[in-house]
Amino acid sequence: MTRTWFITGTGTGVGKTVLTAAFARFLRERGVGVAALKPISSGSRSDALALRTAVDGALSLDEINPWHFRAPLAPLVAARLERKRVQLGEVLAHARWIQERFDAVLIEGAGGILSPMGDGFNSRDLIVALNAAPVVVTSNRLGAVNHVLLVLESLPRPAASKAWVVLMSPRRPNSASRTNAGLLEEFLHRRRVLVFPWLEADKRMFRASREPRVVRLLHLLHCCRPGKSDRTAAFGTRAA
């Protein structure tokens, strides 16, 4: 059965693409047939281009990113400016077609988990419909704990119970970045809170998959399946 991870976040620019590209490269280097998707994007198409590089061109740019809109706005607004619409069923059909072809599928959302991606749907709807494991990415800074818990609260319990949290470290650690992981571990199982180290620009994404600290993190994402034995069962109030 194809395993699917959905890389979402607490907002824009928190490191979703860095993690998705590194994870895709990590899996590919270990012989896993992996696809990395950015189904909907607006503004620059650089995220989708990075994912195409990460999977060594196993997918075309239009397969990775079927819906792209020029304006650097929320995809729903950018699509409306071009008098276009994106329907949930279309996105699901494309994702399921990719699932049939690969052993592992990584799907990167646009913006935060509740940012509108198309007509009447967001990343949360895709996570639920595809039964994907959510990976919540956030900048490891002051406010991160609140932002992460809000994302988990927005998920249905079955999805929240298998969510991972990845804190993207700042260049210069501070009191908040040093304590956020420990505080989150009071709410979540320790192995579900991961800290992605700061890497210089030339090591991000493609070389990150060989950095020992990143390899350990990606190995956990790939091999471990979070259960419902921790307090995350308290999060996620929406029906599945």
Side-chain angles (χ1 to χ4, degrees):
M1 181 180 296
T2 299
R3 293 185 64 189
T4 304
W5 291 262
F6 195 103
I7 293 80
T8 185
T10 56
T12 299
V14 295
K16 296 190 299 294
T17 303
V18 171
L19 178 66
T20 307
F23 195 14
R25 176 71 67 170
F26 170 87
L27 294 175
R28 189 163 180 83
E29 288 172 348
R30 283 151 183 80
V32 178
V34 58
L37 305 181
K38 175 94 175 184
I40 304 170
S41 69
S42 53
S44 171
R45 219 173 179 186
S46 59
D47 291 353
L49 288 166
L51 298 184
R52 187 164 189 258
T53 300
V55 297
D56 293 328
L59 293 166
S60 71
L61 183 60
D62 287 336
E63 287 176 319
I64 291 169
N65 178 216
W67 294 275
H68 172 255
F69 307 104
R70 292 184 297 274
L73 302 168
L76 177 62
V77 178
R80 286 174 176 172
L81 290 176
E82 297 181 26
R83 300 183 183 278
K84 296 178 181 177
R85 301 176 66 183
V86 182
Q87 303 286 344
L88 175 60
E90 296 175 312
V91 180
L92 292 177
H94 180 74
R96 287 167 178 155
W97 176 61
I98 297 294
Q99 285 176 322
E100 292 175 358
R101 298 166 52 194
F102 292 87
D103 300 319
V105 177
L106 314 180
I107 303 175
E108 181 187 340
I113 193 167
L114 297 182
S115 297
M117 295 181 70
D119 282 357
F121 73 94
N122 51 37
S123 292
R124 177 177 61 194
D125 298 306
L126 293 174
I127 289 169
V128 173
L130 295 170
N131 193 29
V135 182
V136 181
V137 181
T138 190
S139 298
N140 192 4
R141 61 189 181 193
L142 187 64
V145 172
N146 176 62
H147 296 157
V148 167
L149 296 181
L150 285 172
V151 170
L152 294 175
E153 184 70 29
S154 75
L155 288 169
R157 288 189 180 183
S161 71
K162 57 184 178 182
W164 294 91
V165 174
V166 178
L167 299 165
M168 306 296 286
S169 297
R171 185 185 186 95
R172 295 180 178 83
N174 52 51
S175 297
S177 67
R178 293 188 190 98
T179 58
N180 281 337
L183 184 53
L184 279 167
E185 286 170 2
E186 294 184 19
F187 298 92
L188 309 173
H189 191 282
R190 180 176 180 180
R191 294 187 70 184
R192 298 179 55 209
V193 180
L194 308 175
V195 178
F196 195 103
W198 170 265
L199 298 175
E200 295 297 337
D202 64 342
K203 291 185 178 181
R204 294 181 191 174
M205 297 192 195
F206 313 126
R207 291 179 60 188
S209 63
R210 298 181 182 179
E211 285 285 318
R213 294 170 296 171
V214 178
V215 168
R216 288 192 291 271
L217 180 155
L218 298 175
H219 176 77
L220 285 171
L221 281 180
H222 180 219
C223 296
C224 300
R225 298 177 187 243
K228 300 181 180 180
S229 59
D230 57 59
R231 289 183 58 190
T232 310
F235 294 101
T237 57
R238 291 170 58 90

